[in-house]
Amino acid sequence: MHAVFADPKTDFVFKKLFGTEEHKDLLIALLNALLGLKGDRCIAAVTFLREEERPRVQELKFSIVDVKCRDGRGTVFVVEMQVLKVEGFEKRVVYNAAKAYVGQ
């Protein structure tokens, strides 16, 4: 019998492992390590966003930003993990980046 593990790259499993208030410190450590952030560029805080927003981009039905980050300098940015190639991904990245920029 082979051991079966849940794939942490799936949205459901990732949220169970890292997407809770009690595991924020684990998520921050993971993102800082994966993104190679150092010093005041390190993520200092994350916010889990659950709301769905209707973008003005016709090809996108909705946009869900799971993790909004703030670094030691106060810069806000979003982190999204994408496993599969999805139509309209580039437009979603621009849309989410614009939302983060305007929100500052």
Side-chain angles (χ1 to χ4, degrees):
M1 176 182 252
H2 295 286
V4 177
F5 296 97
D7 185 354
K9 295 185 305 286
T10 63
D11 192 50
F12 176 77
V13 175
F14 188 85
K15 285 180 182 178
K16 288 292 182 187
L17 293 172
F18 298 103
T20 64
E21 291 293 322
E22 68 178 315
H23 294 139
K24 275 186 174 183
D25 57 333
L26 297 175
L27 178 60
I28 290 170
L30 174 70
L31 292 174
N32 283 327
L34 289 175
L35 298 172
L37 301 175
K38 306 261 189 241
D40 64 354
R41 297 182 75 83
C42 281
I43 296 169
V46 293
T47 305
F48 300 111
L49 301 177
R50 303 291 183 213
E51 75 252 11
E52 295 181 10
E53 300 178 43
R54 296 278 178 197
R56 298 181 192 274
V57 180
Q58 184 63 29
E59 291 87 349
L60 303 177
K61 293 180 182 171
F62 58 88
S63 173
I64 302 172
V65 177
D66 290 325
V67 182
K68 180 170 73 172
C69 305
R70 181 177 304 276
D71 68 15
R73 300 172 300 163
T75 302
V76 175
F77 56 97
V78 295
V79 175
E80 179 176 339
M81 180 174 64
Q82 186 69 39
V83 177
L84 301 173
K85 184 172 179 160
V86 179
E87 184 177 338
F89 176 70
E90 294 85 3
K91 289 182 181 180
R92 188 171 75 226
V93 168
V94 171
Y95 176 78
N96 288 334
K99 282 195 308 186
Y101 181 78
V102 169
Q104 297 182 62

